[in-house]
């Protein structure tokens, strides 16, 4: 009976310690520099028509603030 309790406690402790594991792979980012996948909406955002549409949508919702 004590053996089962000891095994259960050891398994529980192993599970708790495994949950605290942190991957050593650290990503260091530079502020203001996006290094992720290319975003197709980024090019669309630069178009004047899209900027105008976004400003109109903003003022439709934000006028009460």
């Amino acid at each position: 009976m004590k053996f089962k309790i000891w095994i259960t406690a050891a398994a529980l402790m192993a599970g708790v310690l495994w949950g605290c594991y942190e991957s050593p792979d650290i990503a260091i980012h530079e502020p203001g520099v996006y290094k992720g996948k290319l975003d197709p909406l980024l090019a669309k955002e630069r178009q004047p028509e899209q900027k105008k549409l976004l400003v109109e949508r903003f003022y439709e919702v934000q006028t009460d603030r």
Side-chain angles (χ1 to χ4, degrees):
M1 186 67 168
K2 285 185 179 183
F3 184 70
K4 287 184 181 180
I5 293 173
W6 188 86
I7 293 293
T8 304
L12 183 63
M13 185 57 101
V16 168
L17 290 176
W18 186 261
C20 294
Y21 174 75
E22 188 173 327
S23 176
D25 297 333
I26 298 172
I28 299 175
H29 302 283
E30 297 175 28
V33 178
Y34 180 74
K35 294 186 176 182
K37 296 178 184 175
L38 292 178
D39 187 358
L41 295 177
L42 207 56
K44 188 177 181 181
E45 184 183 276
R46 292 187 183 110
Q47 297 173 353
E49 303 88 28
Q50 184 69 15
K51 283 186 179 183
K52 182 180 175 186
L53 177 66
L54 291 174
V55 168
E56 288 174 2
R57 286 178 57 192
F58 174 78
Y59 285 116
E60 284 178 7
V61 178
Q62 300 292 330
T63 56
D64 63 335
R65 296 185 172 98

